[in-house]
Amino acid sequence: QSVLTQPPSVSGAPGQRVTISCTGISSNSGATFDVHWYQQLPGKAPKLLIYGDSNRPSGVPDRFSGTKSDTSASLAITGLQAEDEADYYCQSSDSSLSVVFGGGTKVTVL
Amino acid sequence: QVQLVQSGAEVKKPGASVKVSCKASGFTFTNYRIAWLRQAPGQGLEWMGWITTYNGNTRYAQKFQGRVTMTTDTSTTTAYMELRSLRSDDTAVYYCARKATLIDNWFDPWGQGTQVIVSS
C-alpha cells in the first residue's frame, strides 16, 4: 500500500482537462514536502514531468501543471491528447526523509 | 546529452544475487547522487536508496537494509546495485536515476531499466 494516495484511473476525451490528485503529503517543521510528478508511457522508464510542486522541466508542454495545497497535490492536463495516455506517479518524502510514491494513475484518452 | 544506460536483463534463482550497472554520461558524475528504484510487474514505483558518488555514502530504504549494496566506480562513471538473497517477489524492472541535487529529491533522468526475473 502506497504512502501517497492517487486515484487508480482517470479518463477524458481529446481536448478535455483532467486532474489527478495525490493526498497524504507529509510535513516537516510546519512545511509540507515538495511533490514531483512523473509520466510513464507504456513499456518505458518514468520521465520527470513536474518538480517542486509546480515547476516544469525544459521540454515539458505547458499543458501539464502542478499545484499543492496543504497535504494534497494535483496534476492537471489541459487539452488532453492521445499521446498523454500513460501512467502518472506523484512522489514526495515522508517524516524519515525517505522517498515515497503514490500508487499511480492510469490516464485513458477516450 | 545526459544519459544513464543500464545493463541487460537477468534471470536468477531464488537465493542468488544480482548486480545491475548504470553507466552515466553527459554530466559530471561526482556532482550528483544516483538513486535506485524498482517496479514489480503491474505495480508502482519503489525507492531502494541512493549513493553519493563522490564519497560513496549510501542511504538505503529500510526495506532493503542488509540485502542491498550500492557502489560506484568514478573512473568509469558507473553505478552498481547488488541485491542479495533474491526472492520471487524481487522480480521487477530496476531503474537507476540521477537525483536532482543533494537537497532536492526528484529524479531526472532515468535509465532505461533492467528486467530482473527471479525464478526456480
Side-chain angles (χ1 to χ4, degrees), chain A residues 1-16:
Chain A
Q1 189 170 354
S2 304
V3 174
L4 304 176
T5 302
Q6 297 181 234
S9 63
V10 299
S11 61
Q16 282 191 328

Side-chain angles (χ1 to χ4, degrees), chain B residues 9-14 18 86-88 90-94 114-120:
Chain B
E10 304 262 13
V11 179
K12 297 291 183 181
K13 294 194 182 303
V18 68
L86 290 169
R87 308 183 289 256
S88 58
D90 291 318
T91 293
V93 176
Y94 289 76
T114 296
Q115 174 76 62
V116 174
I117 296 173
V118 182
S119 174
S120 55

Side-chain angles (χ1 to χ4, degrees), chain A residues 99, chain B residues 4 31-35 47 50-51 97-109:
Chain A
V99 172
Chain B
L4 299 172
N31 283 356
Y32 294 89
R33 286 174 172 154
I34 298 294
W47 172 71
W50 58 55
I51 182 166
R98 188 183 72 170
K99 186 176 179 295
T101 68
L102 290 181
I103 296 173
D104 298 306
N105 273 359
W106 68 85
F107 303 116
D108 180 54

Side-chain angles (χ1 to χ4, degrees), chain A residues 58-95:
Chain A
S58 172
V60 173
D62 59 7
R63 302 185 292 104
F64 296 92
S65 62
T67 58
K68 187 177 76 179
S69 178
D70 294 329
T71 59
S72 296
S74 290
L75 174 72
I77 310 173
T78 56
L80 193 64
Q81 298 182 6
E83 66 206 51
D84 299 333
E85 194 158 282
D87 294 325
Y88 294 81
Y89 293 91
C90 62
Q91 177 224 319
S92 188
S93 301
D94 67 12
S95 57

Side-chain angles (χ1 to χ4, degrees), chain B residues 53-109:
Chain B
T53 53
Y54 73 86
N55 63 10
N57 285 352
T58 53
R59 169 90 194 275
Y60 300 141
Q62 188 171 8
K63 175 177 180 177
F64 300 100
Q65 289 272 6
R67 213 160 62 92
V68 69
T69 301
M70 297 176 188
T71 56
T72 61
D73 181 344
T74 56
S75 68
T76 61
T77 65
T78 301
Y80 299 91
M81 185 283 299
E82 181 180 36
L83 188 62
R84 300 177 293 278
S85 302
L86 290 169
R87 308 183 289 256
S88 58
D89 62 358
D90 291 318
T91 293
V93 176
Y94 289 76
Y95 294 102
C96 63
R98 188 183 72 170
K99 186 176 179 295
T101 68
L102 290 181
I103 296 173
D104 298 306
N105 273 359
W106 68 85
F107 303 116
D108 180 54

